[in-house]
Amino acid sequence: MNKLRRVDDEPPFMTDSRAPLAQTTVTSLRVVEALDEHGRLGVTALAAELDLAKGTVHKHVTTLERLGYVVKEDREYRLGLGFLGVGVNSQRRLDVYRVGRGPTDRLSKATDTVASLMVAEHGRGRYAYRVPHGDEYELAHHEGDVLPLHATAGGKAILAYTPADRREEILESHGLPPMTEHTITDRDAFREELRSVRDTRTAYDREELLDGWHCVAAPITNEEGDAVAAVSVSAETEFGDASKRTQDVPGLVISTATAIENKLRSP
Amino acid sequence: MNKLRRVDDEPPFMTDSRAPLAQTTVTSLRVVEALDEHGRLGVTALAAELDLAKGTVHKHVTTLERLGYVVKEDREYRLGLGFLGVGVNSQRRLDVYRVGRGPTDRLSKATDTVASLMVAEHGRGRYAYRVPHGDEYELAHHEGDVLPLHATAGGKAILAYTPADRREEILESHGLPPMTEHTITDRDAFREELRSVRDTRTAYDREELLDGWHCVAAPITNEEGDAVAAVSVSAETEFGDASKRTQDVPGLVISTATAIENKLRSP
DNA sequence: GCCAACCGTTCACGATTCATGAACAAGCTT
DNA sequence: AAGCTTGTTCATGAATCGTGAACGGTTGGC
């Protein structure tokens, strides 16, 4: 459901820094992520999944339960809504979310598509806000989900307006893994793509993340011109083609980004 | 922002069970909750807040950062959107959320108010879904927030349709702490209130949680007649009074609850 | 522009407690 | 009712967690 980067993968952005981690916390969060991925699990299944002793898993899971983050149902454990509370709070604290929500809602209505706000964390993209289009409840990605920057319109918009050294650092550590057959995987082709993003202040995703889905994005920058986020719209239609319905969409995306920028820079 | 129950409080629902907890995890989550509450904090401030050594806090905070849940900005740490991703997943997995979202949206539109879905966890209420009314972005409570069952319409609806032994257990462990001057704090008066909820299958909150806010709720029950959740609407108007706009609201809430029940009981 | 205070970070050590595997008890299935 | 499987408990050895002090970098004040 959310497989791109998990605790048990080697975090690629920190090959150095051999400062010892809090191992118990790592294990507890591995439990959380296993429950996040599988829904409801018993102690035995969790222990098998995480390659731990049953007793160990039991201790972690009861700890999380006592803290209110896990709920025991029958003889299984599942995540409660505790992390949702924490997550919503961190979301609401984001400036881009607070001031960008209104403009993004309006963008969604005006273009009749799914509109999103994306931010970068640890060299990866995360949706800070998504407006589901109409009653289309079941999107492939949701608020808080992680996505690779190089395969999304929002991610490209952010990378294009990120200082070169940091940008290269990200490319170096995350690479350009293919998501679909349209994903740009060549380093130089991608750098060229970013250059064209800077030309028009507009980034496109042509089924590079998800087959059948197209996106347009524009960066939201700070006073220094560096991206702090990106607005985008997604649809199962190509943008910028001849059809009149999608012709002015890029322009609306850009003006939404500008509107958010202005709101961000005035208290 | 979310003060009702935190890790450092004594969890009231588990006075027994002296099974030893994973202490390191407890500390890490205390760090998370401190960041959740205060936004951005440095190591020193966190250490003071939690009464820990700076070195200890540093280890926890860097662990959480390496796992992708915390972001370092300047010389401070804040929560990233990682927990939002986990939280949204647990939300989307809830049956009540999946099938109740549509009906709740329609209820909000039909009544022109804020509509919510509440579930019970550990004897406390949590919002599983909230439809912000129009552009009224700034509500006092949000999805994932914890609320006392006895001071909310949804909570009363749930308690009224909870098996008596479990209900008494909850009352025993959580008590009836006053939230406003209208909160029912007398044990017998509250039992009487629940009885009247059962009479009409409708629960009211008359400024018992938040001054100026009224709510009506109806329980969502399973085949055994026990509550699994509650639907409610909230407004700054009294319900059931003479004004025509709010007169039929309780009826709409009940029919929404019934609609969700029916959807829940058919695959 | 320098100094001092403060901050985040590191480290070695002693004490805590964490993970283990096996034994126990409680359910569900047959 | 037997027999499997599950969640839970427990003692023990080993890992590591928390501490306080020291380090180096940044900042703000004089």
Side-chain angles (χ1 to χ4, degrees):
Chain A
M1 184 163 280
N2 190 347
K3 277 219 166 193
L4 283 171
R5 276 280 150 214
R6 306 200 75 88
V7 168
D8 44 301
D9 293 337
E10 180 79 20
F13 48 89
M14 274 223 161
T15 46
D16 51 321
S17 178
R18 59 206 110 277
L21 304 201
Q23 286 301 334
T24 312
T25 300
V26 174
T27 305
S28 278
L29 284 171
R30 291 217 301 145
V31 169
V32 167
E33 297 184 352
L35 290 175
D36 181 44
E37 188 167 354
H38 293 96
R40 306 164 42 165
L41 288 177
V43 172
T44 309
L46 267 171
E49 170 93 16
L50 301 171
D51 199 41
L52 292 169
K54 283 201 297 179
T56 307
V57 169
H58 182 258
K59 187 184 209 168
H60 284 269
V61 104
T62 51
T63 300
L64 291 166
E65 191 206 3
R66 291 264 286 274
L67 297 182
Y69 293 99
V70 157
V71 173
K72 185 181 176 179
E73 256 174 22
D74 292 316
R75 257 172 311 130
E76 295 189 314
Y77 293 88
R78 65 170 177 86
L79 294 181
L81 294 180
F83 288 122
L84 182 64
V86 174
V88 167
N89 273 354
S90 10
Q91 179 186 40
R92 297 198 321 119
R93 239 185 254 281
L94 277 187
D95 287 338
V96 184
Y97 174 79
R98 287 218 312 273
V99 315
R101 202 167 19 163
T104 307
D105 283 344
R106 289 188 284 277
L107 174 64
S108 170
K109 274 207 182 101
T111 58
D112 194 36
T113 60
V114 177
S116 316
L117 288 172
M118 175 175 280
V119 296
E121 281 181 10
H122 298 294
R124 304 168 301 182
R126 279 212 195 253
Y127 281 126
Y129 186 52
R130 290 213 97 183
V131 190
H133 162 233
D135 294 326
E136 188 164 355
Y137 278 143
E138 272 324 315
L139 295 168
H141 302 112
H142 309 89
E143 295 181 349
D145 277 356
V146 221
L147 295 171
L149 291 174
H150 75 285
T152 55
K156 288 184 198 173
I158 292 175
L159 279 178
Y161 291 83
T162 295
D165 49 350
R166 173 65 183 146
R167 181 166 66 232
E168 288 303 319
E169 199 176 292
I170 293 173
L171 291 184
E172 191 54 46
S173 55
H174 289 87
L176 302 170
M179 299 287 130
T180 69
E181 50 176 332
H182 300 97
T183 311
I184 302 174
T185 54
D186 180 75
R187 203 67 69 100
D188 286 326
F190 189 71
R191 275 189 266 262
E192 187 52 44
E193 170 83 358
L194 291 190
R195 211 162 296 138
S196 96
V197 169
R198 279 187 289 269
D199 283 344
T200 59
R201 215 178 168 86
T202 316
Y204 289 88
D205 157 20
R206 307 171 188 85
E207 308 191 45
E208 294 159 45
L209 175 73
L210 203 62
D211 279 312
W213 281 89
H214 296 255
C215 301
V216 200
I220 300 169
T221 58
N222 61 15
E223 283 90 343
E224 287 93 44
D226 295 332
V228 298
V231 213
S232 65
V233 302
S234 312
E236 291 176 288
T237 329
E238 212 161 327
F239 293 103
D241 66 355
S243 105
K244 45 212 152 304
R245 215 192 95 235
T246 60
Q247 198 146 3
D248 48 351
V249 168
L252 287 172
V253 172
I254 290 187
S255 61
T256 303
T258 313
I260 298 175
E261 277 172 11
N262 290 337
K263 286 180 75 176
L264 272 177
R265 299 181 192 180
S266 55
Chain B
M1 184 165 283
N2 190 347
K3 276 223 168 190
L4 284 172
R5 278 277 152 217
R6 307 201 73 88
V7 168
D8 44 301
D9 292 337
E10 180 79 19
F13 47 90
M14 276 223 160
T15 46
D16 52 319
S17 177
R18 59 207 111 277
L21 304 202
Q23 286 302 336
T24 312
T25 300
V26 174
T27 304
S28 278
L29 284 171
R30 291 217 302 144
V31 170
V32 168
E33 297 186 349
L35 291 175
D36 182 43
E37 188 166 356
H38 294 95
R40 307 164 41 160
L41 288 177
V43 171
T44 309
L46 266 172
E49 169 93 16
L50 302 172
D51 198 40
L52 292 169
K54 283 199 297 178
T56 308
V57 169
H58 181 258
K59 186 186 214 167
H60 284 269
V61 104
T62 50
T63 300
L64 290 166
E65 191 206 1
R66 291 263 286 273
L67 297 182
Y69 294 99
V70 157
V71 173
K72 186 178 177 182
E73 256 173 23
D74 291 318
R75 258 172 309 130
E76 293 188 315
Y77 293 88
R78 64 168 177 88
L79 294 181
L81 294 180
F83 288 122
L84 182 65
V86 174
V88 167
N89 273 353
S90 13
Q91 179 186 40
R92 298 199 320 121
R93 241 185 253 280
L94 276 186
D95 286 339
V96 185
Y97 174 79
R98 288 217 312 273
V99 315
R101 202 168 17 163
T104 307
D105 283 345
R106 290 189 284 276
L107 174 65
S108 170
K109 273 205 182 104
T111 59
D112 196 35
T113 60
V114 177
S116 316
L117 288 171
M118 176 176 280
V119 296
E121 281 181 11
H122 299 292
R124 305 167 301 183
R126 278 212 196 254
Y127 281 125
Y129 185 52
R130 290 214 97 182
V131 190
H133 163 232
D135 295 326
E136 188 164 351
Y137 279 142
E138 272 323 315
L139 295 168
H141 303 113
H142 310 88
E143 295 180 350
D145 277 358
V146 221
L147 295 170
L149 291 174
H150 76 284
T152 55
K156 288 184 197 173
I158 292 175
L159 279 178
Y161 291 82
T162 295
D165 50 350
R166 173 65 183 145
R167 180 166 65 234
E168 288 304 318
E169 199 177 293
I170 293 173
L171 290 185
E172 190 54 45
S173 56
H174 290 87
L176 301 169
M179 298 289 130
T180 69
E181 49 177 331
H182 299 99
T183 311
I184 302 175
T185 54
D186 180 74
R187 201 68 67 101
D188 286 325
F190 189 69
R191 275 189 266 262
E192 187 53 45
E193 170 84 357
L194 290 191
R195 212 163 296 138
S196 96
V197 169
R198 280 186 289 269
D199 283 344
T200 58
R201 216 180 166 83
T202 316
Y204 290 87
D205 157 20
R206 307 171 188 84
E207 307 191 47
E208 295 159 46
L209 175 73
L210 204 61
D211 280 310
W213 281 88
H214 296 255
C215 301
V216 200
I220 298 169
T221 59
N222 59 17
E223 284 89 343
E224 287 93 44
D226 295 332
V228 299
V231 212
S232 65
V233 301
S234 312
E236 290 176 288
T237 330
E238 211 161 329
F239 292 104
D241 67 354
S243 106
K244 43 212 154 299
R245 214 193 96 238
T246 61
Q247 198 146 1
D248 48 352
V249 168
L252 287 172
V253 173
I254 291 187
S255 61
T256 303
T258 313
I260 298 175
E261 278 173 11
N262 290 336
K263 287 180 74 175
L264 272 179
R265 298 181 194 180
S266 56

